[in-house]
Amino acid sequence: MLRTVGRTAVWLFTGLNVLLLYWLVAASFKTPLEIFRDPFGLPRTWFARGNPFRNYLYAWNQAEFGHAFLVTVVLVAAASVSIVVVSAPAAYALSRFGVRGSGPLTGFLALGMGVPVQTVIIPLFVGLADLGLTDSLFGLYLLYVALSVPFTVFLLTGFFRTLPEETEEAAALDGASPLRTFVSITLPLARGGLVTALILNAIGLWNETLLAIVFIQQNDGFTLARALFTFYGAATYQSEYGGLIAGVAIVVLPMLALYLVLARRIIAGLTLGAGK
C-alpha cells in the first residue's frame, strides 16, 4: 500500500515537472497574447511570424545574455574545479589518516551545510568590502568556493570511505608517500565521486542568484541569473513576457540538459558515496 502511494506521488511530481517544462519551452516561442489566452497550447503564430526565435534573440540582445553566458561559464567552471581541488585532499585526510577529532570535524562541516547563506550575507559583505572585493568576479569566485567546500568535503569523505584500503597499503609497502598514493591511486579510483561533486557544484552555482545580486552591480560582471533578475523589470515594463520566459529558458535548459545526460553518473556517485 505504502509503495503504491509513494510510486503514485513520484509519478505525479514527475508529471507536474514535465508539464512545467513543456509550458516553459512552448511559452518561450509565443507572443504575450498567446501566453495568457492559451497557456498550454502550441505556438500558433510560429510560422506566421518573421522569426520564430524572436523571443530568444530579444532576451539575448536586450539582457546582454551573450556576455553573461560567457561570464557564467568561466566563473562556474573555475569555481567548481577549485572546490573539488580543495575538498578532495581534505576529505581524503578525514577518511583515511585517523586524525584525532576527524569525526567531530566531519560533523562540523555537515553543520556548515545547514547554515542559510542569508544569515551570513552581511558579514560576508563587510569582509569583502574590507578587502576591496565587492563588485568583483574574483570576490564572487572566493565566496562560491568557500561556501561550497563543506558540502563537497562531506560528500567526498563518504565516498573515500567506500574505497578499498588494500591498494593504498600495498603502495605504502612499496615505499609510496601518502601524497603519491593519493594522486596516483586514490584519485583515479575516486573518479566517479569527483565527477559527481564537480557536476553537482556546477549545477548549483549556475543557478545561484542571491550572492550575484548582492555582490555584483556592474553589467560587465553579471552572471546569467543576475542578468535575468535585471531583465525582469525591463521585460515586464515593456510587456515582453515572451522574451522574459525565453530568458528563463536560456538559464534553465543548459543545466537541465547536462543533468539529463549525466544523471546516471550522478546517481551512481551519490549512491556509492553513501555506502558506509
Side-chain angles (χ1 to χ4, degrees), residues 92-98 157-173 181 185-186 189 276:
Y92 180 69
L94 289 174
S95 63
R96 281 291 192 263
F97 292 165
T157 298
F159 189 85
F160 282 134
R161 285 174 178 165
T162 65
L163 299 179
E165 298 182 10
E166 290 77 9
T167 53
E168 299 172 31
E169 293 173 355
L173 291 175
T181 301
I185 296 177
T186 306
L189 291 176
K276 288 187 180 181

Side-chain angles (χ1 to χ4, degrees), residues 18-44 245:
V18 171
L19 180 63
L20 290 175
L21 178 61
Y22 161 76
W23 176 85
L24 175 67
V25 175
S28 66
F29 291 98
K30 294 180 180 180
T31 63
L33 188 60
E34 285 183 286
I35 293 174
F36 290 102
R37 282 190 174 181
D38 189 13
F40 293 101
L42 292 172
R44 296 181 180 179
I245 296 174

Side-chain angles (χ1 to χ4, degrees), residues 53-261:
F53 296 98
R54 182 259 177 193
N55 290 336
Y56 285 90
L57 292 175
Y58 177 83
W60 190 268
N61 295 324
Q62 295 298 319
E64 298 184 2
F65 273 16
H67 179 73
F69 189 90
L70 178 61
V71 168
T72 305
V73 169
V74 174
L75 178 62
V76 169
S80 300
V81 172
S82 299
I83 291 165
V84 174
V85 169
V86 171
S87 301
Y92 180 69
L94 289 174
S95 63
R96 281 291 192 263
F97 292 165
V99 179
R100 179 178 298 179
S102 60
L105 182 57
T106 304
F108 180 75
L109 288 171
L111 289 176
M113 295 162 48
V115 177
V117 68
Q118 294 88 345
T119 62
V120 295
I121 197 73
I122 294 177
L124 289 175
F125 188 89
V126 172
L128 284 189
D130 291 340
L131 296 173
L133 292 177
T134 55
D135 202 12
S136 164
L137 285 175
F138 180 68
L140 189 61
Y141 158 82
L142 292 178
L143 289 179
Y144 282 174
V145 174
L147 294 175
S148 301
V149 162
F151 163 75
T152 310
V153 171
F154 184 76
L155 173 67
L156 293 179
T157 298
F159 189 85
F160 282 134
R161 285 174 178 165
T162 65
L163 299 179
E165 298 182 10
E166 290 77 9
T167 53
E168 299 172 31
E169 293 173 355
L173 291 175
D174 289 338
S177 65
L179 178 60
R180 183 175 180 183
T181 301
F182 172 67
V183 173
S184 302
I185 296 177
T186 306
L187 285 184
L189 291 176
R191 181 172 53 188
L194 297 176
V195 171
T196 299
L198 184 69
I199 296 171
L200 290 177
N201 279 297
I203 293 174
L205 295 179
W206 182 276
N207 298 314
E208 196 286 318
T209 306
L210 177 61
L211 295 176
I213 291 174
V214 173
F215 290 95
I216 301 296
Q217 303 300 324
Q218 299 295 325
N219 292 359
D220 290 343
F222 278 5
T223 62
L224 272 177
R226 180 68 174 87
L228 179 62
F229 179 81
T230 303
F231 180 53
Y232 172 80
T236 53
Y237 178 77
Q238 299 175 10
S239 298
E240 281 288 349
Y241 297 106
L244 178 60
I245 296 174
V248 174
I250 292 173
V251 176
V252 171
L253 294 181
M255 284 299 106
L256 178 61
L258 178 66
Y259 183 83
L260 291 176
V261 171

